[in-house]
């Protein structure tokens, strides 16, 4: 059976049309299927639309989260409730074309465990979105030790094996494309053209985007921590040279002034560096704290799915 996990946040306008298209593709593939619609605390009538969809199609199921938990957590919830042998993750806004599922599935059948869809074009997305995404993926590639594929979102197909491993990852900062890369198994990709959104605007506000970027970086790289250490060493070294010079000019050259300016500059500089260091450490401690609390990742309000194993 193929499960398709769809996170839904304020997509009421285009959702039923999208699910209809998706269903056509799944029927064409000819395997049994289920569609798991995760309502991520939508503020419009998306949930009503989801209920209508589920009523008209016994293969569609819903998970209604108690509030907006964010895209990555919504997908994680869907993955927990999906019971297929192959699980497709995709956006519900029409940007990931359902027709590509055929290609993903075909590739999976060749014996892969993860087939992700690589964007060779990104539709009419804004200049800033494309540009920030590019910078982010490049930086990630440079500072992480596991290769996380570039220009790849969450659109992909996974075997049950991978999904079971994924469910065992308890971290609260979800960065699924990183986590799945970390898991390993046999991975490959297909290429596709990302479509435009059918209606509405991106639900990824800048705040959510920055959050995702920070979660990705801190979950898969200790490089920022190392940066704090390195800059600390560099400062200490410059300070040491400065001390030597001061002593030299004081005792050898006998040339010295009460150095108000240099003192202030040094103080401010060191102070700045320390604050940066503390800030970076704070980022990590915040996340440690988050994990220590060990709260459930999400809370389900209601669902018509019997909970999958583990
Ligand atoms: N989404 C979600 N919760 C959120 C934000 C987005 O479930 O807090 C869903 C949204 O409905 C869509 C998918 O995640 O199906 C991708 O979001 P969006 O299209 O806004 O992101 P973009 O394609 O602009 O990166
Ligand atoms: Mg989108």
């Amino acid at each position: 059976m193929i499960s398709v996990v769809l996170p839904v946040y304020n997509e009421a306008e285009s959702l039923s049309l999208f699910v209809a298209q998706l269903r056509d593709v799944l029927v064409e593939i000819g395997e049994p299927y289920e569609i798991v619609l995760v309502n991520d605390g939508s503020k419009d009538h998306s949930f009503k639309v989801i209920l209508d969809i589920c009523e008209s199609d016994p293969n569609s199921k819903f998970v209604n989260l108690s509030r907006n938990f964010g895209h990555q957590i919504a997908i994680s919830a869907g993955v927990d409730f999906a019971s297929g042998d192959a699980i497709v993750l995709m956006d519900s806004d029409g940007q990931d074309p359902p027709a590509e599922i055929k290609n993903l599935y075909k590739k999976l059948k060749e014996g892969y465990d993860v087939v992700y869809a690589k964007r060779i074009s990104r539709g009419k997305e804004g200049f800033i979105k494309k540009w920030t995404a590019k910078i982010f993926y490049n930086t990630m590639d440079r500072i992480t030790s596991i290769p996380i594929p570039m220009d790849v979102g969450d659109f992909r197909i996974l075997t049950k094996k991978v999904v079971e491993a994924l469910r065992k990852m308890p971290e609260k900062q979800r960065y699924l494309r990183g986590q799945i890369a970390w898991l390993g198994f046999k991975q490959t990709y297909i290429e596709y053209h990302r479509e435009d959104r059918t209606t509405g605007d991106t639900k990824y506000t800048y705040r959510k985007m920055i959050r995702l970027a920070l979660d990705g970086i801190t979950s898969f790289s200790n490089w920022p921590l190392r940066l704090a250490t390195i800059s600390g060493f560099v400062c200490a070294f410059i300070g040491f040279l400065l001390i030597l010079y001061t002593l030299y000019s004081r005792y050898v050259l006998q040339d010295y002034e009460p150095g108000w300016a240099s003192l202030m500059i040094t103080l401010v500089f060191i102070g700045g560096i320390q604050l940066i260091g503390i800030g970076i450490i704070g980022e990590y401690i915040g996340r440690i704290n988050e994990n220590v609390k060990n709260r459930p990742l999400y809370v389900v309000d209601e669902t018509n799915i019997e909970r999958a194993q583990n």
Side-chain angles (χ1 to χ4, degrees):
M1 178 169 80
I2 302 178
S3 301
V4 179
V5 172
L6 295 180
V8 178
Y9 180 60
N10 298 349
E11 309 282 5
E13 273 167 74
S14 57
L15 190 64
S16 29
L17 186 71
F18 174 75
V19 172
Q21 287 171 352
L22 173 64
R23 218 181 271 153
D24 287 346
V25 171
L26 291 169
V27 168
E28 210 178 303
I29 292 176
E31 304 275 2
Y33 70 89
E34 65 170 3
I35 299 174
V36 179
L37 294 139
V38 183
N39 179 33
D40 185 17
S42 296
K43 294 187 175 58
D44 63 359
H45 60 287
S46 294
F47 185 50
K48 172 88 182 39
V49 176
I50 291 175
L51 288 179
D52 289 346
I53 292 172
C54 292
E55 204 148 294
S56 68
D57 174 22
N59 295 323
S60 297
K61 295 154 187 185
F62 67 85
V63 178
N64 187 30
L65 300 186
S66 59
R67 63 170 170 86
N68 179 242
F69 282 88
H71 177 218
Q72 298 285 305
I73 293 183
I75 302 177
S76 306
V79 162
D80 286 347
F81 280 88
S83 47
D85 306 295
I87 287 116
V88 176
L89 313 182
M90 70 192 303
D91 290 355
S92 59
D93 61 354
Q95 285 198 284
D96 299 333
E100 294 296 336
I101 295 176
K102 276 184 273 181
N103 301 330
L104 288 170
Y105 188 61
K106 210 159 73 192
K107 252 300 192 269
L108 194 82
K109 282 270 147 188
E110 288 173 19
Y112 291 96
D113 292 302
V114 179
V115 185
Y116 50 86
K118 198 178 167 90
R119 304 158 176 165
I120 42 180
S121 71
R122 296 185 61 120
K124 267 205 292 290
E125 286 179 323
F127 163 75
I128 295 182
K129 173 113 188 176
K130 286 183 187 166
W131 185 65
T132 47
K134 200 177 160 137
I135 293 182
F136 171 65
Y137 285 123
N138 276 319
T139 317
M140 270 309 265
D141 192 46
R142 215 161 294 159
I143 66 176
T144 50
S145 46
I146 51 156
I148 300 172
M150 289 225 227
D151 298 320
V152 169
D154 291 303
F155 188 21
R156 56 189 64 210
I157 191 165
L158 315 167
T159 56
K160 198 173 190 145
K161 196 159 67 175
V162 176
V163 163
E164 272 163 9
L166 187 62
R167 286 184 192 141
K168 292 201 184 105
M169 294 179 93
E171 59 231 63
K172 303 292 183 286
Q173 287 78 38
R174 309 300 279 190
Y175 185 65
L176 288 166
R177 45 204 103 152
Q179 289 172 251
I180 294 167
W182 180 90
L183 282 171
F185 296 106
K186 266 187 89 179
Q187 308 210 358
T188 189
Y189 66 93
I190 60 159
E191 291 179 332
Y192 81 114
H193 293 278
R194 192 153 164 87
E195 300 285 333
D196 300 333
R197 244 175 181 283
T198 348
T199 52
D201 245 335
T202 176
K203 303 298 178 304
Y204 257 95
T205 52
Y206 283 111
R207 222 177 94 194
K208 282 182 179 169
M209 249 160 61
I210 291 170
R211 219 200 141 116
L212 180 70
L214 279 179
D215 282 345
I217 291 170
T218 51
S219 298
F220 290 95
S221 170
N222 283 330
W223 187 81
L225 272 181
R226 212 169 306 141
L227 187 71
T229 321
I230 292 170
S231 53
F233 273 116
V234 170
C235 283
F237 183 68
I238 294 172
F240 178 68
L241 292 183
L242 225 81
I243 291 168
L244 287 186
Y245 174 73
T246 314
L247 291 174
Y248 177 73
S249 59
R250 167 69 179 78
Y251 292 107
V252 181
L253 301 181
Q254 294 291 339
D255 162 30
Y256 65 97
E257 298 280 352
W260 170 248
S262 59
L263 197 67
M264 278 316 278
I265 288 167
T266 317
L267 266 177
V268 169
F269 182 61
I270 300 288
I273 293 290
Q274 280 174 337
L275 284 179
I276 292 170
I278 291 170
I280 294 172
I281 293 167
E283 288 287 331
Y284 282 87
I285 291 181
R287 284 163 170 79
I288 293 171
N289 185 34
E290 210 42 41
N291 281 294
V292 166
K293 277 191 278 186
N294 219 11
R295 285 185 188 149
L297 190 59
Y298 53 84
V299 178
V300 173
D301 181 3
E302 55 177 322
T303 171
N304 61 352
I305 307 176
E306 247 181 79
R307 178 80 186 219
Q309 296 308 304
N310 70 83

